[in-house]
Amino acid sequence: MWTTIAAIATPPGVGGVAIVRVSGPEALAIARSCVRLRGDWQPRHAHFGQLLASDGTVVDEGLILWLPGPGSYTGEDTVEFQGHGGAYVTARVLDRFIEAGADLALAGEFTRRAVINGKLDLTQAEAVGDLIAARTAAGAQQAMSVLAGGLTAPLKQVRESLMTLVAHLEAGIDFPDEVETPSPDWFHGQVATIVTAVRALIATSTAGQIYRHGATVALVGRPNVGKSSLLNALLRHERAIVTPYAGTTRDTLAEACDLDGLLVQLVDTAGIREADDPVERLGIDRSRAAMAEAMLTVLVVDGSVGLTGEDTAIRDGIAGPYLIVANKADVGSAMVPDPVPVWALTGDGLPGLEATLRARLVTGLAPPTLAAINARHRACLVRALENLDQAVAAAHAGLHLDCLTIDLRAALQAVSDVSGDSFSESVLDEVFGRFCVGK
Ligand SMILES: Nc1nc2c(ncn2[C@@H]2O[C@H](COP(=O)(O)OP(=O)(O)OP(=O)(O)O)[C@@H](O)[C@H]2O)c(=O)[nH]1
Ligand SMILES: [Mg+2]
């Protein structure tokens, strides 16, 4: 039996309005016992009413909505009280609902109920969390595309194909006289189609990662070329210390920036050189580590000097994609191969660099309006692929159909874990543990 839960749905602090939500079978009874309305309770109407303490004094007044299940967010009877957004008064409203019989909701419990009641699948529930967490246009667009069911349909397709396949094989095992055993060609054709669909979903994971969590860009180069100045220019504030002395930045420094709607984690690093100072050497180790982890490396060089031997040595140490930025273009411009000239001190050339960076990061990626998987989905789908591979290997080895269905069932479970269709508690706990209370 479900309990009735309550929580403050709006962020803590002071605001015009705060919303307290109550959801569960007793929501209306609890609300009736402590809210005074002018008229009768009508579903889906905004009522003006007063929330009364047990001694009849008014705690707060505001709008009250009664949303009967299943047509509510959670799919259960829900009451929302929209009162004044003060820290004290909102806490009192919540207390009153608890006193009247509601339980305090756990983090993500409203959305968890929405999933269990079939209002959302797990990918959509995660998208709710992503939308709340989104800090850029791409993050929000990606979350909305998944919330709208962008992963629901392709996952359903894969699941249904797998179920059909398992059903055919099991029918052949259970009723060998009535059902024709599927031919190997048919079996391999079916598995190949499913594998292609799963691979297509897995291929979206880089886009999902970048749009949700941003791309990491490391700014590296010799000391004193202007890496920290460039970081500050891109961030539009003086985040890093800049001095005329080589070796100013000692440690890596990461800061998020919104690159025309794309979240980017910029990492300023210590200038790379042969250093005697042990502290500086540790910093340089970190520069190299940042370079190895970055999705894109920006090699900053002094454009007035050109590409020195030290610059090319650093360039040769970059394993992934990179671009060269010729800084100090105001002082002069020597030959640098294919540079994006930037003058970090004043910001001249900055829009060009930003456009180039953004283009390099999203090249080959689908737009954020197309749904993409997250790391959890990826882990499940990779597991599904392994199970499918095993089924194919078992078929090639001429094993009995029984053995194949074990692998296919495991693949089905893995795909179902993505959308939460199996409602495994551990999967639900993992997803909703990251939510805030009241959502
Ligand atoms: N003229 C000119 N000077 C610049 C430009 N960008 C940076 N500088 C100067 O170059 C010096 C070094 O700048 P930083 O940003 O500290 O250089 P860095 O690469 O971070 O240096 P380290 O932290 O020592 O590795 C400072 O005196 C800056 O004012 C530029 O575009 N033009
Ligand atoms: Mg620096």
Side-chain angles (χ1 to χ4, degrees):
M1 184 58 196
W2 286 110
T3 54
T4 298
I5 51 171
I8 301 168
T10 37
V14 176
V17 175
I19 298 175
V20 179
R21 256 188 187 160
V22 186
S23 175
E26 298 303 318
L28 184 60
I30 288 170
R32 274 184 191 279
S33 74
C34 49
V35 173
R36 182 164 65 201
L37 293 191
R38 289 230 180 85
D40 279 341
W41 286 85
Q42 286 186 47
R44 280 164 236 296
H45 273 67
H47 296 285
F48 179 74
Q50 292 172 320
L51 188 97
L52 306 178
S54 50
D55 64 4
T57 55
V58 177
V59 176
D60 194 10
E61 57 183 27
L63 288 182
I64 297 151
L65 303 161
W66 168 37
L67 308 165
S72 66
Y73 179 68
T74 56
E76 305 172 327
D77 283 358
T78 301
V79 171
E80 274 189 21
F81 181 81
Q82 306 184 353
H84 295 96
Y88 174 77
V89 72
T90 310
R92 284 286 297 119
V93 170
L94 176 63
D95 283 350
R96 182 66 183 104
F97 285 126
I98 303 286
E99 186 187 48
D103 290 336
L104 200 56
L106 303 173
E109 200 171 359
F110 289 91
T111 309
R112 185 180 189 130
R113 289 184 175 201
V115 169
I116 291 172
N117 292 325
K119 304 291 293 186
L120 301 172
D121 77 5
L122 209 46
T123 65
Q124 293 171 304
E126 288 168 306
V128 171
D130 288 343
L131 186 60
I132 293 170
R135 286 190 283 170
T136 59
Q141 284 167 343
Q142 177 56 215
M144 278 311 299
S145 60
V146 179
L147 186 54
L151 293 177
T152 307
L155 284 166
K156 189 160 174 248
Q157 177 91 51
V158 171
R159 224 172 41 249
E160 283 176 0
S161 309
L162 268 168
M163 281 195 270
T164 310
L165 187 56
V166 171
H168 269 83
L169 293 181
E170 290 189 345
I173 296 168
D174 294 343
F175 311 103
D177 300 331
E178 287 119 83
V179 181
E180 207 182 313
T181 309
S183 76
D185 279 355
W186 180 82
F187 169 79
H188 287 296
Q190 294 291 307
V191 173
T193 310
I194 296 168
V195 165
T196 305
V198 173
R199 287 226 170 97
L201 281 165
I202 291 177
T204 66
S205 74
T206 309
Q209 166 73 19
I210 290 182
Y211 296 138
R212 282 188 188 90
H213 305 293
T216 309
V217 173
L219 309 177
V220 304
R222 291 189 291 119
N224 222 28
V225 291
K227 300 177 295 297
S228 302
S229 306
L230 183 57
L231 174 91
N232 292 344
L234 288 165
L235 293 175
R236 312 283 193 280
H237 74 102
E238 299 301 308
R239 176 66 184 83
I241 296 172
V242 168
T243 75
Y245 308 108
T248 299
T249 304
R250 287 301 192 93
D251 201 349
T252 49
L253 189 163
E255 195 75 27
C257 104
D258 181 342
L259 208 61
D260 191 19
L262 187 72
L263 185 64
V264 172
Q265 197 74 26
L266 292 171
V267 187
D268 182 23
T269 61
I272 298 175
R273 64 173 166 186
E274 290 298 327
D276 297 328
D277 181 331
V279 180
E280 188 176 354
R281 277 217 300 272
L282 287 174
I284 293 170
D285 287 346
R286 290 190 175 200
S287 304
R288 296 193 194 281
M291 220 154 82
E293 282 165 23
M295 202 160 280
L296 180 64
T297 299
V298 174
L299 175 63
V300 184
V301 302
D302 185 335
S304 66
V305 175
L307 206 66
T308 66
E310 286 144 323
D311 292 326
T312 44
I314 299 170
R315 186 190 62 191
D316 294 344
I318 304 174
Y322 69 92
L323 60 91
I324 299 178
V325 166
N327 194 35
K328 307 199 183 183
D330 56 316
V331 183
S333 76
M335 264 297 288
V336 177
D338 195 21
V340 178
V342 171
W343 175 13
L345 267 187
T346 64
D348 276 15
L350 209 54
L353 173 62
E354 286 170 330
T356 309
L357 276 178
R358 196 184 191 290
R360 286 288 293 270
L361 290 169
V362 302
T363 301
L365 293 184
T369 44
L370 283 183
I373 62 167
N374 68 22
R376 187 187 70 80
H377 307 153
R378 190 176 195 285
C380 296
L381 292 173
V382 166
R383 212 167 68 225
L385 269 191
E386 286 165 7
N387 296 133
L388 288 164
D389 280 350
Q390 277 161 17
V392 170
H396 283 310
L399 292 187
H400 189 259
L401 288 183
D402 262 352
C403 304
L404 273 64
T405 56
I406 291 170
D407 292 325
L408 294 175
R409 276 189 173 277
L412 183 57
Q413 178 65 52
V415 175
S416 302
D417 280 348
V418 179
S419 47
D421 283 277
S422 46
F423 292 147
S424 148
E425 283 298 313
S426 58
V427 174
L428 295 189
D429 285 345
E430 182 198 324
V431 170
F432 292 108
R434 297 192 290 261
F435 267 67
C436 49
V437 176
K439 195 65 225 171

